[in-house]
Amino acid sequence: MDESRPIFIQIAEQVENDIIDGVLKEDEQIPSTNELAVFYRINPATALKGVNRLVDDGIVAKRRGIGMFVTLGARARLIDRRRADFATEYIRPLIVEAEKLGIDIDELAGLLRAERIES
Amino acid sequence: MTRTVVRGSGLTKRYGSFTAVDAVDLTLQENRIYGLLGRNGAGKTTIMQLLTGQLFPNAGELEVFGREPAEHADVLRRICFIGEAQRYPENFTPTHVFKAAPWFFEHWDAGLAERLVADFRLPVKRRIKKLSRGQLSAVGVIVGLASRAPITFFDEPYLGLDAVARHIFYDRLLEDYAEHPRTVVLSTHLIDEIANLLEHIILIDQGRILLDRDADEVRGSATTVAGARAAVESFVADRPVIGREGLGGLASVTIDGRLGRADRIRAAELGLELAPVSLQQLIVHMTGTELDADTTEEEAAA
């Protein structure tokens, strides 16, 4: 867990990552709050807050008496949201650091392409 | 709706001219895990001894499950206190302790105690006086967990327990708490190890409450900003500073309050490093001498 951000947000993100990666499929049950708490060694109330955030975002929904399930279309919505944040989360810091080092946009684009070929 | 299980107001405990607990107001809610944190001699143990009826306050009101704890068996039966140097009759073995425990704790789970004995590899037939410090701590931890008391206090329960044994304690505590919610108060110096287990934090300093807040609000509520002195100072100009260090032209300043995305971008543009402050570091800042020095300076300036 990263110390700088609230843990419940990180728990929500972990579940979101599993949905994006296809580890958790749509219409599939997600781990219970207690399972998340024990696995991540966090307070169950914190895990519940994380799951409630996913409920508020419409990523999972409760089925009474059974548990929480990934909603239909959740993966596509998550990807849309992550794409919208991509520029501020990743591109902006990249450009700030590149400018500090005197790397211009063309050189940066070249570096990105080279890195892509390597990986 | 959560229920309040402990309500204290104006609690004060004096020893001669020394005030160990100074007009403390606090409430504990049902089924939460609290961290009671602070430096040695801050008053943590005294507060727990008041709440468990082991001491009488000199002033203030206290209700535990709706009435004063001292000498009320129906209240004391629902409380388990595991102290730092828990004493047992010396000729007892751990088996005797675990056999006697259900007389005091109505929710005692013998099966859980047995599993914990195996986890901690505790020699249950050895006499208490022959046990190592760590094994003695394990006896306390087992009693604390298996008692499933509606309010359980752990006051520095793990003297002599190694890192593996401490993590067994944290894992079993979480697992059992998830299945059987109850109010747990953990007092410890090993703040980083337990930070994520806590739902609520009460920080004590010199007999008073310095902080009484949800762990989620406290976490990430402070940031250290480091870089060239001028840039750091301009960034922190109108923010509450809780710690300050410097080395030549470099400065490292800890500020209270969350940073938004715009703040982070601005910091990056100024070439500043932002580092999260762990709960342990925050508490060092809040209760350390460094802060006192700052206050004195301000007072001198005023």
Side-chain angles (χ1 to χ4, degrees):
Chain A
M1 295 281 120
D2 156 10
E3 283 277 351
S4 63
R5 297 177 312 135
I7 294 176
F8 74 94
I9 292 177
Q10 299 182 56
I11 293 299
E13 284 173 357
Q14 291 287 351
V15 175
E16 287 174 6
N17 285 338
D18 285 346
I19 295 170
I20 290 173
D21 295 342
V23 177
L24 283 170
K25 303 220 170 6
E26 290 180 3
D27 212 28
E28 199 176 305
Q29 188 171 5
I30 70 165
S32 73
T33 318
N34 286 349
E35 286 168 339
L36 288 170
V38 171
F39 185 78
Y40 289 108
R41 291 199 168 120
I42 57 167
N43 189 289
T46 314
L48 178 64
K49 255 171 115 174
V51 171
N52 283 340
R53 185 183 166 91
L54 294 170
V55 173
D56 292 343
D57 288 352
I59 301 302
V60 302
K62 186 179 200 159
R63 286 190 200 157
R64 204 167 281 277
I66 315 178
M68 296 289 180
F69 287 76
V70 180
T71 57
L72 295 176
R75 183 166 183 273
R77 284 199 301 279
L78 284 173
I79 290 176
D80 280 350
R81 204 174 71 196
R82 293 274 176 106
R83 288 180 79 109
D85 290 341
F86 189 72
T88 41
E89 296 279 336
Y90 295 92
I91 305 291
R92 185 79 192 254
L94 186 71
I95 290 173
V96 169
E97 180 70 9
E99 276 172 358
K100 208 194 296 179
L101 303 177
I103 299 171
D104 68 19
I105 292 298
D106 289 338
E107 193 182 351
L108 187 59
L111 286 171
L112 284 172
R113 267 188 222 99
E115 192 65 31
R116 177 130 206 189
I117 291 161
E118 261 180 46
S119 64
Chain B
M1 211 28 231
T2 50
R3 214 157 52 103
T4 299
V5 289
V6 171
R7 190 190 307 277
S9 64
L11 282 178
T12 301
K13 180 68 193 174
R14 287 184 216 99
Y15 295 102
S17 63
F18 175 68
T19 306
V21 175
D22 192 0
V24 159
D25 298 326
L26 93 172
T27 57
L28 301 182
Q29 306 292 326
E30 188 178 46
N31 300 344
R32 287 197 186 167
I33 302 181
Y34 289 84
L36 185 63
L37 310 176
R39 300 181 60 178
N40 284 333
K44 304 184 299 281
T45 299
T46 310
I47 288 176
M48 285 187 279
Q49 286 174 332
L50 290 170
L51 301 189
T52 52
Q54 300 174 65
L55 291 175
F56 288 96
N58 294 102
E61 311 272 319
L62 175 63
E63 279 186 2
V64 180
F65 296 113
R67 62 195 297 188
E68 280 191 355
E71 291 173 7
H72 282 129
D74 61 314
V75 175
L76 297 177
R77 221 176 40 218
R78 289 185 270 173
I79 298 176
C80 178
F81 175 85
I82 302 298
E84 183 175 0
Q86 192 67 37
R87 308 278 297 195
Y88 306 94
E90 289 214 329
N91 284 319
F92 265 39
T93 63
T95 300
H96 293 135
V97 174
F98 302 143
K99 283 244 160 67
W103 306 340
F104 304 99
F105 305 111
E106 54 187 343
H107 302 291
W108 179 260
D109 186 316
L112 175 59
E114 254 175 62
R115 285 198 298 283
L116 293 165
V117 163
D119 285 339
F120 287 111
R121 301 181 184 165
L122 181 69
V124 289
K125 304 229 177 293
R126 196 174 295 172
R127 289 189 188 284
I128 291 285
K129 61 181 169 192
K130 303 268 183 195
L131 294 180
S132 72
R133 187 57 251 183
Q135 289 167 334
L136 205 52
S137 292
V139 174
V141 163
I142 292 169
V143 171
L145 289 175
S147 69
R148 293 216 177 115
I151 309 180
T152 308
F153 294 87
F154 288 103
D155 182 13
E156 301 282 355
Y158 24 55
L159 203 60
L161 284 187
D162 61 28
V164 174
R166 293 200 302 273
H167 282 92
I168 292 171
F169 169 54
Y170 307 141
D171 285 357
R172 295 295 174 267
L173 170 65
L174 259 188
E175 284 167 15
D176 202 62
Y177 166 83
E179 293 296 318
H180 304 274
R182 56 224 200 230
T183 303
V184 177
V185 180
L186 285 173
S187 170
T188 175
H189 291 115
L190 303 171
I191 297 167
D192 279 341
E193 287 191 3
I194 59 146
N196 292 350
L197 306 189
L198 306 177
E199 184 172 351
H200 197 95
I201 286 159
I202 299 173
L203 176 61
I204 310 289
D205 196 40
Q206 297 179 351
R208 294 183 186 184
I209 293 185
L210 213 54
L211 185 87
D212 184 348
R213 255 154 88 179
D214 251 27
D216 268 333
E217 288 171 31
V218 179
R219 199 172 283 121
S221 70
T223 307
T224 297
V225 185
R229 186 176 293 276
V232 171
E233 290 303 338
S234 93
F235 186 83
V236 304
D238 19 301
R239 297 171 199 271
V241 170
I242 56 175
R244 198 173 236 120
E245 281 161 63
L247 180 69
L250 297 175
S252 165
V253 174
T254 301
I255 51 172
D256 193 11
R258 267 173 217 287
L259 295 180
R261 186 173 286 176
D263 294 322
R264 293 185 178 278
I265 291 170
R266 185 166 160 244
E269 285 165 353
L270 285 168
L272 299 175
E273 297 273 342
L274 297 179
V277 177
S278 74
L279 183 61
Q280 177 148 313
Q281 291 167 317
L282 180 66
I283 286 170
V284 169
H285 279 303
M286 292 185 72
T287 58
T289 45
E290 181 193 22
L291 188 66
D292 291 346
D294 275 358
T295 335
T296 326
E297 268 170 29
E298 275 166 30
E299 278 164 8

